Amino acid sequence: MKTIVTGGAGFIGSHLVEKLLDFGYEVRVVDNLSTGQFSNLSAVSGNSNFEFHQVDLVDFESVQAAFKGVDIVFHLGALADIVPSIQHPLAYFHANVHGTSNVLEAARAVNVSRLIYAASSSCYGIPDVYPTSEAEPVRAQYPYALTKYLGEELVLHWGKVYGLSVASLRLFNVYGPRARTSGTYGAVFGVFLAQKLAGKPFTVIGDGTQVRDFTYVSDVVNALISAARSEEAVGGVLNVGSGIPHSINQLVTLLDGEVTYIPRRPGEPDCTWANIEKIRNTLGWKPQVSFEQGVAQMLANIEYWREAPVWDPESIRAASVDWFKYLGKKHG
Ligand code: UDP
């Protein structure tokens, strides 16, 4: 079976690629290396079942050429992060929406047997109901969340109109080795691990009682592969989370270090918590890695963050100006 992983040089994508190769699949990675890194694939680059295509998802001709002979598509390629999406909404629209329509058309042209989309739980915004099920309304708060959601809508639409066998997995706070460390201020694990290595205090937002449904990357990879292999058509949206939220204070206790407190960010939920009944029932998937085990794995791999930027309250304030400016007030 030939698989294609868009965004395969990224954090989650590279873990997926390793697992697919372990299972004996042929894997073709499509990535423009704008935020992904080829070094994330160093463990597999010599594998004879592995191919790399440096392609931008916006370039339809090249996407189509890369899709020749493919059976299963994992579409993870996207621009991530909140603040840059507020600053450059068009870039996010091109990559995450237009890029997704290109992937769908390329997949349709070669008649793939399944397409799995990595969607984002950020579409729920600040939900009314916890744990949050797939039936809750979508309330995107910023262009990243909106464009990932529009991508999901395209995927479901192609499923409906063209009969493409699709599933959209809404991922909750994924963490694990190689969690992205670009220059952008983002995901808490990369921020805290770099701070720990530098002997600096953890920048805890608010009072640290907010909770997140942190989901370990190997569990996410298993969910993506289960959705691709399921005999039954999946045909819709599935949450992927641990189902057990943990607070930032709990994380800090496990990581063990000094703390400094910084202001809460507007539009940020106090809680993310996935209702995972649907994926349990549909795919028989359940998370395997506890929060304590996952955090221990992060600490065991902490050297990865040695070169990562070390954030402090002032650099975080400066990097978050547009967040406060645009999300901090109600317009109109
Ligand atoms: N967080 C924090 N300090 C930081 C960055 C994040 O305390 O320097 C907290 C943040 O308030 C949130 C959690 O970590 O509760 C996860 O934040 P992240 O940006 O990784 O994900 P998201 O907010 O999108 O769920």
Side-chain angles (χ1 to χ4, degrees):
M1 285 288 243
K2 264 199 179 49
T3 63
I4 201 159
V5 180
T6 73
F11 157 48
I12 303 171
S14 63
H15 284 278
L16 174 63
V17 169
E18 286 180 2
K19 191 66 181 266
L20 289 169
L21 288 167
D22 282 350
F23 277 140
Y25 289 99
E26 291 179 43
V27 183
R28 198 175 287 168
V29 166
V30 165
D31 200 301
N32 66 356
L33 299 181
S34 69
T35 54
Q37 295 167 15
F38 195 73
S39 58
N40 283 339
L41 294 164
S42 54
V44 300
S45 55
N47 190 310
S48 58
N49 279 336
F50 168 77
E51 268 177 45
F52 182 78
H53 295 241
Q54 186 166 354
V55 165
D56 194 318
L57 296 179
V58 172
D59 171 5
F60 181 65
E61 305 297 317
S62 304
V63 173
Q64 199 170 32
F67 270 62
K68 291 230 161 61
V70 163
D71 299 306
I72 298 176
V73 180
F74 296 94
H75 177 33
L76 282 67
L79 284 175
D81 290 321
I82 297 171
V83 174
S85 83
I86 296 169
Q87 294 167 331
H88 309 291
L90 273 187
Y92 278 71
F93 190 86
H94 289 313
N96 299 356
V97 185
H98 184 194
T100 297
S101 56
N102 283 345
V103 165
L104 286 163
E105 274 302 84
R108 184 164 81 91
V110 295
N111 203 14
V112 300
S113 60
R114 179 86 33 101
L115 182 143
I116 308 299
Y117 177 67
S120 170
S121 61
S122 60
C123 65
Y124 295 118
I126 302 181
D128 298 327
V129 178
Y130 296 107
T132 307
S133 82
E134 296 84 350
E136 288 306 308
V138 166
R139 295 178 184 146
Q141 306 281 311
Y142 38 80
Y144 167 71
L146 174 66
T147 56
K148 285 297 292 184
Y149 177 67
L150 293 173
E152 176 180 282
E153 286 283 291
L154 291 174
V155 166
L156 300 179
H157 196 74
W158 256 248
K160 205 167 62 183
V161 174
Y162 302 109
L164 203 61
S165 178
V166 297
S168 179
L169 272 50
R170 292 182 177 168
L171 312 182
F172 280 69
N173 289 83
V174 186
Y175 73 107
R178 303 198 291 268
R180 296 186 52 246
T181 49
S182 63
T184 313
Y185 175 61
V188 65
F189 269 93
V191 173
F192 282 5
L193 291 173
Q195 287 166 341
K196 184 175 171 73
L197 278 173
K200 301 285 188 206
F202 300 128
T203 48
V204 170
I205 290 175
D207 62 4
T209 57
Q210 69 273 31
V211 295
R212 288 290 179 274
D213 192 326
F214 290 111
T215 314
Y216 196 68
V217 67
S218 59
D219 283 329
V220 170
V221 163
N222 288 341
L224 291 164
I225 295 176
S226 302
R229 282 154 72 117
S230 123
E231 301 266 311
E232 305 284 314
V234 184
V237 176
L238 297 172
N239 283 342
V240 180
S242 73
I244 307 172
H246 290 89
S247 72
I248 299 310
N249 290 332
Q250 285 173 289
L251 172 59
V252 160
T253 303
L254 291 172
L255 292 179
D256 188 25
E258 297 296 309
V259 164
T260 183
Y261 293 93
I262 62 174
R264 288 190 51 161
R265 309 175 291 193
E268 188 173 33
D270 283 332
C271 175
T272 66
W273 182 4
N275 180 324
I276 53 175
E277 283 305 301
K278 189 174 174 193
I279 189 167
R280 277 182 197 271
N281 295 336
T282 313
L283 300 179
W285 172 91
K286 58 180 188 314
Q288 310 281 341
V289 180
S290 72
F291 187 57
E292 290 73 14
Q293 289 167 330
V295 174
Q297 279 302 309
M298 298 300 271
L299 287 170
N301 287 280
I302 195 166
E303 279 307 314
Y304 179 82
W305 286 272
R306 180 72 67 185
E307 305 303 321
V310 180
W311 295 94
D312 61 29
E314 175 48 29
S315 59
I316 291 171
R317 190 203 56 74
S320 310
V321 165
D322 282 325
W323 188 326
F324 283 84
K325 178 174 167 194
Y326 291 103
L327 304 187
K329 57 173 186 269
K330 294 271 167 274
H331 301 283

